[in-house]
Each structure stands twice: as structure tokens, then as C-alpha cells.
Amino acid sequence: MPVDVTGKFITIEGGEGAGKSTNIDFIIKFLEKNGIKVLQTREPGGTPLAEKIRDILLDKSETDIHSDTELLLMFAARAQHLHEVILPAIQKGIWVVCDRFTDATYAYQGGGRGIDLHRIAELESWVQGELRPDLTLIFDLPIEVGLERAGQRSAPDRFELENIEFFKRVRDVYLLRASQNPDKYAVINAEPELTQVQKELTEVLNQIVMNS
Ligand code: TMP
């Protein structure tokens, strides 16, 4: 039987203030301790060109970006990132841990901006072909708690300026997608203190390492 030498593709999602960065550091250390070669990256971004697109997307002085333009820029950045970084890594057996991916497009451009989810699905197939994450971890918490936590950090970007209803729609789409495909998603309660969150996270990570 052929041995599966491709690396796993793990994506990390969550609303504002969900503690993604801290938990990504924890995930990377956990995988490395288990002898796994890992590449950490992010979207939008992850290559010099895609990081330039990110700068445009997050720039709050860009007040007139049409939602279709925003969607296409997300996928333009993704195409570059996929071909330049993600695919070469997983083909070498490296695990890729990506801070946001296409679930964020469904949540923010689909849920938040109201773009038809079928249109997003078409772009997903075009840009990604068959590639989908092996596992998506969603750090979830009530919107009000997340915004309160996020507000204590740096100046808001173009997305962080959105209103609470926008973020509720974002969260609803994340949770809906997780409920529709429970084998590929783990929703982690990001509300309790960090040690509790990381206990739950460790259980999920143990599963994926054991099954690899
Ligand atoms: P970050 O703050 O987690 O780095 O993500 C940057 C912002 O980009 C965040 O507000 C979510 C948004 N985003 C989208 O709207 N659609 C996408 O496809 C991605 C990857 C991110």
C-alpha cells in the first residue's frame, strides 16, 4: 500500500479577539514536540505579493472597496499563497498551519458582506481544485466578549471597524459550516481562561497526531 507522505493542512479560524495567535503558537509547539515538521503561515498573506494584497484589504482608508473586489482580492492572494507556499510544503510532507483560509471567506464575505455562498464555492473550486483543509479549528466565543478583548489591542483595521451584526453573521457561518461537516472541524470554546482552552485544544491535537 502506498505510504501517505503528504503533510496535513490545518487551518485556524475565529472571530475578533478569539486568541488565535496565542493558540497558534501553542499548536506549532505541540506538533514540533511530536516530531512533525510544520510551516506556519497566514491569510490573507503568506507571500510577498499576497502580503501586499493584505495591506490593501486591511487598510481602513480604503472605504470604497466593493464586496466583489474584496472577494476577488482574497482569492487572488490565496492563489499566490497556495502555489508558492502551501502546495509545495504539503507535497514535501510538511504540515501547514494557516491562520485563516477559505472558511474566513465564507464567514466574512459570505456571512458578513452577504455574497452568495455559491459564488464563493465556484471560486474555491477554481482556485483550489480539490484541496480542502484536513482540519479546521474554530476558536469560538460570544461576539461581545471577543470585541471587548480585541478592543484592548492595537488600532482597528478595515474589518475590525464593522458593526456587531456583521460579526454575528460571521460567527453564524463558521458555526454552520462546522455543524455541517463535524469530521473536518473542531469548535473550541475560546471563552474560558487560556489553560482551559488549551486543554481542549490538546485533546483535538492528540487525535489528529494519532491518526496521522
Ligand atoms: P486576521 O486579523 O485574523 O489576521 O485576519 C485579517 C482579516 O481578514 C480578518 O478581519 C478577517 C478577514 N478575512 C476575510 O474577510 N476573508 C478571508 O478570506 C480571510 C482569509 C480573512
Side-chain angles (χ1 to χ4, degrees):
M1 218 164 66
V3 180
D4 179 11
V5 289
T6 58
K8 297 239 182 259
F9 181 33
I10 301 174
T11 59
I12 314 298
E13 302 283 355
E16 310 304 315
K20 274 188 301 112
S21 306
T22 312
N23 286 307
I24 287 172
D25 290 346
F26 181 87
I27 293 166
I28 301 290
K29 286 202 187 93
F30 181 97
L31 295 175
E32 285 176 345
K33 261 194 266 159
N34 280 273
I36 294 165
K37 260 191 165 175
V38 195
L39 177 89
Q40 179 184 347
T41 188
R42 70 169 178 183
E43 289 215 348
T47 79
L49 173 62
E51 289 289 331
K52 284 189 193 167
I53 299 175
R54 177 188 176 92
D55 289 343
I56 298 169
L57 282 162
L58 299 195
D59 181 353
K60 58 174 179 287
S61 71
E62 292 287 355
T63 51
D64 295 329
I65 301 185
H66 189 276
S67 56
D68 286 351
T69 313
E70 183 179 285
L71 174 67
L72 291 166
L73 285 173
M74 288 295 174
F75 272 104
R78 182 160 300 138
Q80 189 64 29
H81 188 210
L82 210 54
H83 293 292
E84 193 176 327
V85 173
I86 297 175
L87 289 173
I90 55 184
Q91 280 157 6
K92 281 188 212 137
I94 298 168
W95 288 32
V96 174
V97 174
C98 189
D99 182 350
R100 297 199 190 278
F101 194 63
T102 305
D103 283 286
T105 314
Y106 280 102
Y108 283 78
Q109 282 65 56
R113 303 276 187 238
I115 294 181
D116 187 339
L117 300 183
H118 295 102
R119 185 169 278 192
I120 299 174
E122 281 173 28
L123 287 170
E124 179 181 40
S125 298
W126 183 41
V127 170
Q128 296 168 220
E130 301 284 297
L131 183 85
R132 300 291 179 273
D134 293 294
L135 177 69
T136 298
L137 302 174
I138 299 176
F139 289 92
D140 178 65
L141 79 175
I143 306 298
E144 290 80 358
V145 180
L147 290 179
E148 165 88 29
R149 288 184 190 172
Q152 292 162 6
R153 298 197 312 244
S154 52
D157 62 34
R158 201 171 60 84
F159 288 99
E160 289 163 346
L161 289 173
E162 287 298 333
N163 62 32
I164 202 158
E165 293 308 319
F166 177 96
F167 292 114
K168 282 189 176 151
R169 294 194 299 276
V170 167
R171 185 184 188 202
D172 287 348
V173 172
Y174 274 136
L175 295 179
L176 177 69
R177 288 177 64 75
S179 71
Q180 285 170 338
N181 201 350
D183 290 348
K184 295 276 181 187
Y185 290 82
V187 178
I188 308 228
N189 181 3
E191 196 176 1
E193 59 170 32
L194 194 59
T195 47
Q196 181 57 35
V197 175
Q198 292 183 340
K199 195 166 160 240
E200 198 181 336
L201 181 55
T202 303
E203 283 167 22
V204 174
L205 293 173
N206 271 328
Q207 281 288 327
I208 187 164
V209 169
M210 260 172 13
N211 294 334
S212 69

